[in-house]
Amino acid sequence: MTAFVLSLLAACASTETAATAAAPAAAEAGWTHYGAPFTVSAAVPASTVLAAPQNHAAAPVRMTGQLAEVCQKAGCWAVVRDDAGHAIRITMKDHAFGIAKDGAGKQCDVEGTLVKKAVDPATIEHYKSEGGRTTPEEGQAEAWELVVTAASIK
C-alpha cells in the first residue's frame, strides 16, 4: 500500500511540474495568458508576418503586435496592428477561449495558424455589431486571418 501511495504522489508531482513548465514565460513579466500554452518558442513582429503572410502559413506562427480592437461581446476575435499600420483579424480557435475585452491598445503575443478565407460581408457586419471598427478584410475577396490557440496580453 505504501508503494502505491508513493507512486501516486510521484505521478501527481510530475504532472504539476509538467504543467508549470508548459506555462508561458511571458506570464512572469506581467502578461495575462489565454488559451493553450505556447508551442512556438520565438515570436516574430507582426510586421514580418503581415508583410508576407503566405511565407508563414505552412506551420503555426507566433507574433507580437498591438491589439487595435477586441470583440466587445466575448473577446473571441481581435485585430492586431503592426507599426506600419497593417492589420490582421485574429479569431480564437473553436471559440475555445476569449481574451480581455479591454485589450485594445495593449501589446499582444499570439500563436496560431494563418488561413486565407473568402470574405463574407455578413461576417464583417457581425464583427461591426460586436464593436468592430477596423475591418482589415473589407473590400477584398479573400483575406488572411490568424486562428489563435494561445495569446498573452500586456
Side-chain angles (χ1 to χ4, degrees), residues 33-50:
H33 188 79
Y34 304 90
F38 289 117
T39 60
V40 177
S41 59
V44 295
S47 57
T48 301
V49 175
L50 297 180

Side-chain angles (χ1 to χ4, degrees), residues 37-133:
F38 289 117
T39 60
V40 177
S41 59
V44 295
S47 57
T48 301
V49 175
L50 297 180
Q54 67 279 3
N55 295 344
H56 302 276
V61 64
R62 183 172 168 188
M63 71 177 192
T64 57
Q66 182 181 42
L67 291 171
E69 61 186 39
V70 177
C71 169
Q72 293 301 294
K73 184 174 180 184
C76 58
W77 59 261
V79 175
V80 176
R81 182 177 311 152
D82 68 10
D83 294 339
H86 302 108
I88 188 169
R89 182 156 325 265
I90 66 169
T91 56
M92 308 319 145
K93 184 177 181 184
D94 300 327
H95 276 82
F97 62 95
I99 60 175
K101 293 185 273 185
D102 65 350
K106 295 182 180 180
Q107 295 300 308
C108 68
D109 183 346
V110 294
E111 179 181 299
T113 304
L114 281 162
V115 294
K116 196 165 195 176
K117 293 185 172 183
V119 175
D120 176 19
T123 301
I124 292 174
E125 289 306 313
H126 173 77
Y127 292 141
K128 288 179 179 179
S129 77
E130 294 179 339
R133 297 176 315 282

